[in-house]
Amino acid sequence: MPESTAVRRVPVSVAEPYDVLVGTDLLRRLPELVPNPQVALICDENVAAALGAGLTELFSRNSRAFEMLIVEPGEASKDVSRWAALLEHLAAQAYGRDCAVIGLGGGVMTDLAGFVAATYLRGVDYYSVPTSLLGMVDAGVGGKTGLNLQAGKNLVGAFWQPRTVIVDVDSLRTLPQRQFQLGAVEFFKHALIGLPEQLELLGSRAFSRDADSELLAGWLRDNIAVKARIVAADERESGVRAYLNYGHTLGHALEGASGHRLEHGEAVAYGILFAALLGRLRGLADVTPLAMQLLRYVQPAPLGPVALPELLPFMARDKKNRRGVQRFVLLRQPGEPVIVADITAAEIEAAWLELRRLVEGLDWEASN
Amino acid sequence: MPESTAVRRVPVSVAEPYDVLVGTDLLRRLPELVPNPQVALICDENVAAALGAGLTELFSRNSRAFEMLIVEPGEASKDVSRWAALLEHLAAQAYGRDCAVIGLGGGVMTDLAGFVAATYLRGVDYYSVPTSLLGMVDAGVGGKTGLNLQAGKNLVGAFWQPRTVIVDVDSLRTLPQRQFQLGAVEFFKHALIGLPEQLELLGSRAFSRDADSELLAGWLRDNIAVKARIVAADERESGVRAYLNYGHTLGHALEGASGHRLEHGEAVAYGILFAALLGRLRGLADVTPLAMQLLRYVQPAPLGPVALPELLPFMARDKKNRRGVQRFVLLRQPGEPVIVADITAAEIEAAWLELRRLVEGLDWEASN
């Protein structure tokens, strides 16, 4: 009975406020949720193959001007020439200022489609429809859009808030289990920094793509609300938004140093353990047991032979740093993040060695 | 005595307010006005040849990290690949979020540099330093940035407000007289929609690049304040900002239909006469004598054989239109613009024929 199912609403109170709608069977309601006279939906070939015919039929049944713009799957589509080609297409088809761009898919699609919407005619309506868990709890919400450069990832972009974020939990059913696990890292990161109640899901393993729809929708609504609250307090990432970066200082460094051999979720899971160890060294609440639980849940690829001196230059370039001072997000206790700017080189080394020691056991577990 | 010369300040009260500074000898004060630790200045080869050595010396005397990024002059630089190359350069040189991008030059440079600043790392500080009269009164102020696509001009972009707009009237001295005349069209457009007192400058011909610096700076300050007021009331161009489009409905159509053989200022001067004639047909104040004075001041290239049916499709695509209804900005009287949405095809034709008749005399004048 999809019609009777409650749609959960998470308001995001930025300068131009919008809602995150969380529910089931929401894709079928896209023509109603996106009322613009012209609609361009950007997605990758896989999503198009799975959902394209149905969506086209839905919009045409509602006599709506609708077009799917299909790009190759994967990070390579987040580039300048793909973006420019999409803009040329919109212009050639005379899309007007009142058109809508929908981004349907994972983080790559919502980043790309969002930047198209942010820059076409100096900005048109954008609707974010994340289909991966990572997109639902992270990339799809918060207004970050962007492309990669040759020099690095996400170096081009704009803050452009969507009109609505549409989270259809049914999309999770077809997500590979591994993608769900990796996305869960950001889910539990939100729990750690702002919703400790949800940490019990980590122990129970109830949190899975096969969980009951209503349960999933409720968990996601509450979890997304953590990010919504932080984004509303700091739309352009100058203050508390750094909390969302919990675990990402070492995480990004591991991604960079491994040439992105480690997945983002894997690297951040290691990074959360690193932050937990730094916190323990500082005498803050000891959240390393939770971080270890998360690592076991995620089962990341082994760290490999990476050494601290390779990681330090990446950490030195971290966006949280100010005037050359390294800044870490730590937890005073679960749900209480704090920014710490005086971590010493000795503390970093001690935490790194302890992390190495702890995860060697994990590597062993995984290989058995 | 440059130090004792008053710098005039026009506050622009948008969401993140900024000032337009108008004065003399301001370029020499750039290192002080742009306090960021890393500064990239984007300009064209001509500006670099004239000012590059001096500016580099100024910043180096202040021990400041400063770099000039030089592009070819002309509209062709407002394209995607030029923009991407500039971003790759900033990234490769590890410009941080606290860097500044300065756009120095005419409208092409401020549009390009502004879009670089709007999109690098999702937005860094932008300083607009227009050197042409058009840039000073129009393109340099208001937060519009952008690039051209193959499909058309200014189809990509963002609204990105500068930190400060720096208007050094000394830059006008080296501007070709013709460029000054063309820029004066937007100056007098501002006078028509919001500062009728300045219309007497049209008769006196006192308004020239060789006028006294203090006079020029005062006139520019008052004139820029007209645009600042309108932009502050409508940062994202959804309402009264349409007033700034006075004369541009026919103007843009003439540019388009002529394949940009007519300069923007020439086309808008014709467009202002067209709007004046529509207003007279509607029984509003008759500003056609002022419009004719402006045409004589600008001495535009002849209209040539263009016919109304060629212009109508361009007018139909005008950005002021809503739901297919053509909207014109007319003047109830000088200083009192009004948006009119019910102009008939018959009125458009009558105004066009009258314009043709009036400017035939001008063509004749110019050829004598």
Side-chain angles (χ1 to χ4, degrees):
Chain A
M1 293 172 296
E3 247 59 44
S4 67
T5 318
V7 175
R8 291 154 177 87
R9 202 173 66 87
V10 181
V12 187
S13 308
V14 288
E16 301 191 52
Y18 60 94
D19 285 334
V20 183
L21 302 180
V22 185
T24 60
D25 207 34
L26 289 179
L27 285 185
R28 220 165 44 77
R29 292 173 55 188
L30 269 188
E32 151 207 349
L33 295 171
V34 182
N36 305 54
Q38 275 175 302
V39 178
L41 183 148
I42 299 175
C43 65
D44 74 21
E45 290 157 358
N46 301 333
V47 171
L51 302 171
L55 288 171
T56 305
E57 151 76 13
L58 266 175
F59 275 87
S60 96
R61 202 188 306 153
N62 290 271
S63 314
R64 299 282 303 285
F66 173 78
E67 197 178 15
M68 302 194 53
L69 309 180
I70 302 167
V71 303
E72 302 91 78
E75 194 75 24
S77 282
K78 258 177 72 172
D79 84 331
V80 165
S81 61
R82 171 56 53 205
W83 163 81
L86 288 166
L87 291 178
E88 289 285 3
H89 177 89
L90 294 178
Q93 300 298 313
Y95 278 78
R97 282 196 174 184
D98 51 4
C99 76
V101 172
I102 301 176
L104 173 67
V108 167
M109 263 337 97
T110 52
D111 279 4
L112 170 65
F115 193 55
V116 167
T119 54
Y120 180 60
L121 302 181
R122 297 199 188 90
V124 297
D125 283 356
Y126 174 56
Y127 293 82
S128 173
V129 189
T131 57
S132 69
L133 180 58
L134 182 61
M136 290 175 182
V137 300
D138 191 9
V141 186
K144 285 191 179 182
T145 71
L147 306 175
N148 302 327
L149 290 179
Q150 283 158 31
K153 287 173 71 170
N154 295 319
L155 295 177
V156 191
F159 285 96
W160 191 245
Q161 306 296 342
R163 285 271 163 230
T164 313
V165 180
I166 298 158
V167 171
D168 187 338
V169 295
D170 300 327
S171 309
L172 295 174
R173 309 290 179 199
T174 54
L175 194 68
Q177 182 62 36
R178 182 71 189 138
Q179 290 309 312
F180 188 92
Q181 268 177 309
L182 292 171
V185 174
E186 301 287 347
F187 179 92
F188 286 114
K189 180 202 73 185
H190 287 162
L192 279 163
I193 64 172
L195 196 62
E197 306 88 285
Q198 286 197 332
L199 291 170
E200 58 189 56
L201 290 173
L202 196 48
S204 75
R205 300 210 164 203
F207 185 65
S208 94
R209 60 172 184 176
D210 304 314
D212 172 74
S213 291
E214 291 302 302
L215 275 178
L216 264 179
W219 290 331
L220 284 177
R221 186 235 357 243
D222 295 344
N223 194 271
I224 291 167
V226 172
K227 178 156 185 183
R229 224 163 39 228
I230 292 175
V231 166
D234 180 14
E235 189 169 352
R236 283 187 178 275
E237 202 168 35
S238 47
V240 294
R241 196 151 170 169
Y243 295 162
L244 294 170
N245 226 245
Y246 184 64
H248 283 60
T249 315
L250 184 78
H252 283 145
L254 285 172
E255 280 186 280
S258 76
H260 294 271
R261 182 184 57 79
L262 282 180
E263 296 278 353
H264 181 70
E266 297 177 317
V268 172
Y270 284 121
I272 286 174
L273 177 58
F274 186 69
L277 290 165
L278 283 175
R280 191 165 76 179
L281 282 169
R282 277 292 163 116
L284 305 179
D286 184 7
V287 295
T288 54
L290 291 166
M292 287 300 287
Q293 242 181 341
L294 180 57
L295 266 186
R296 284 197 199 89
Y297 174 93
V298 178
Q299 303 200 8
L303 273 180
V306 63
L308 187 58
E310 298 166 59
L311 298 172
L312 293 176
F314 287 97
M315 287 163 66
R317 266 182 262 159
D318 189 89
K319 66 181 174 188
K320 295 186 292 304
N321 300 346
R322 294 289 177 274
R323 306 183 175 281
V325 176
Q326 183 91 49
R327 296 176 355 137
F328 282 90
V329 181
L330 304 181
L331 296 181
R332 220 177 258 125
Q333 58 185 39
E336 253 188 59
V338 57
I339 293 171
V340 177
D342 61 349
I343 297 285
T344 64
E347 287 173 302
I348 288 175
E349 188 170 359
W352 173 251
L353 292 175
E354 181 62 8
L355 181 144
R356 270 286 187 201
R357 198 184 65 75
L358 287 169
V359 303
E360 246 158 62
L362 276 186
D363 291 358
W364 177 87
E365 244 175 62
S367 68
N368 270 264
Chain B
M1 293 173 296
E3 248 59 44
S4 66
T5 317
V7 175
R8 292 155 177 87
R9 202 174 67 87
V10 181
V12 186
S13 308
V14 287
E16 300 192 52
Y18 61 94
D19 286 333
V20 182
L21 302 180
V22 186
T24 60
D25 208 33
L26 289 178
L27 284 185
R28 219 163 46 78
R29 292 174 54 188
L30 270 188
E32 153 206 347
L33 295 171
V34 181
N36 305 55
Q38 275 175 304
V39 178
L41 183 148
I42 299 175
C43 66
D44 75 22
E45 290 157 357
N46 301 332
V47 170
L51 303 171
L55 287 170
T56 304
E57 152 74 14
L58 267 174
F59 275 87
S60 98
R61 202 188 305 152
N62 289 270
S63 313
R64 299 283 303 287
F66 173 78
E67 196 179 14
M68 302 194 53
L69 309 181
I70 302 167
V71 302
E72 302 91 78
E75 195 76 24
S77 282
K78 258 177 75 172
D79 84 332
V80 166
S81 62
R82 172 55 55 206
W83 163 80
L86 289 165
L87 291 177
E88 288 285 1
H89 177 89
L90 295 177
Q93 300 299 312
Y95 277 79
R97 282 196 174 185
D98 51 3
C99 76
V101 172
I102 302 177
L104 174 66
V108 167
M109 262 339 95
T110 52
D111 279 3
L112 170 65
F115 193 56
V116 167
T119 54
Y120 180 61
L121 302 180
R122 299 201 188 89
V124 298
D125 283 357
Y126 174 56
Y127 293 82
S128 173
V129 189
T131 57
S132 69
L133 180 57
L134 182 62
M136 290 175 182
V137 300
D138 192 10
V141 185
K144 285 191 180 182
T145 72
L147 306 174
N148 302 327
L149 290 179
Q150 282 158 33
K153 288 174 71 171
N154 294 318
L155 294 177
V156 191
F159 285 96
W160 192 245
Q161 306 296 342
R163 284 272 163 230
T164 313
V165 180
I166 298 158
V167 171
D168 187 338
V169 296
D170 299 328
S171 308
L172 296 173
R173 309 289 181 200
T174 53
L175 194 68
Q177 182 62 36
R178 182 69 190 142
Q179 291 307 313
F180 188 92
Q181 268 177 308
L182 291 171
V185 174
E186 301 287 347
F187 179 93
F188 286 115
K189 178 201 75 184
H190 287 161
L192 279 163
I193 65 172
L195 197 61
E197 308 86 286
Q198 286 197 332
L199 290 170
E200 58 189 57
L201 290 173
L202 196 49
S204 75
R205 300 209 166 204
F207 185 65
S208 93
R209 61 172 184 176
D210 304 315
D212 172 74
S213 290
E214 292 302 303
L215 275 177
L216 264 179
W219 290 330
L220 284 177
R221 186 234 358 240
D222 295 344
N223 194 271
I224 290 167
V226 172
K227 178 157 185 184
R229 228 165 33 231
I230 291 174
V231 165
D234 179 16
E235 188 169 352
R236 282 189 178 272
E237 202 168 34
S238 47
V240 294
R241 197 152 169 169
Y243 295 162
L244 294 169
N245 226 246
Y246 184 62
H248 283 59
T249 315
L250 185 78
H252 283 145
L254 285 172
E255 281 186 279
S258 78
H260 293 271
R261 182 185 56 79
L262 282 180
E263 296 278 353
H264 181 72
E266 297 177 317
V268 172
Y270 284 122
I272 287 175
L273 177 57
F274 186 68
L277 290 165
L278 283 175
R280 189 165 78 180
L281 281 169
R282 278 290 163 117
L284 306 179
D286 184 8
V287 294
T288 53
L290 291 166
M292 288 298 290
Q293 244 181 337
L294 180 57
L295 267 185
R296 283 197 199 89
Y297 175 93
V298 178
Q299 302 200 7
L303 273 179
V306 62
L308 188 57
E310 299 167 59
L311 298 172
L312 293 177
F314 287 97
M315 288 163 65
R317 264 182 264 157
D318 189 88
K319 68 180 173 188
K320 296 186 293 302
N321 300 346
R322 293 290 177 273
R323 307 186 172 278
V325 175
Q326 182 91 50
R327 297 178 352 139
F328 282 91
V329 180
L330 304 182
L331 296 182
R332 220 176 259 125
Q333 58 186 38
E336 253 188 59
V338 56
I339 293 171
V340 178
D342 61 349
I343 297 284
T344 64
E347 286 173 303
I348 288 176
E349 188 170 359
W352 172 252
L353 292 175
E354 181 62 7
L355 180 144
R356 269 288 185 200
R357 199 185 64 75
L358 286 170
V359 303
E360 245 159 62
L362 276 186
D363 291 359
W364 176 86
E365 243 175 62
S367 67
N368 271 267

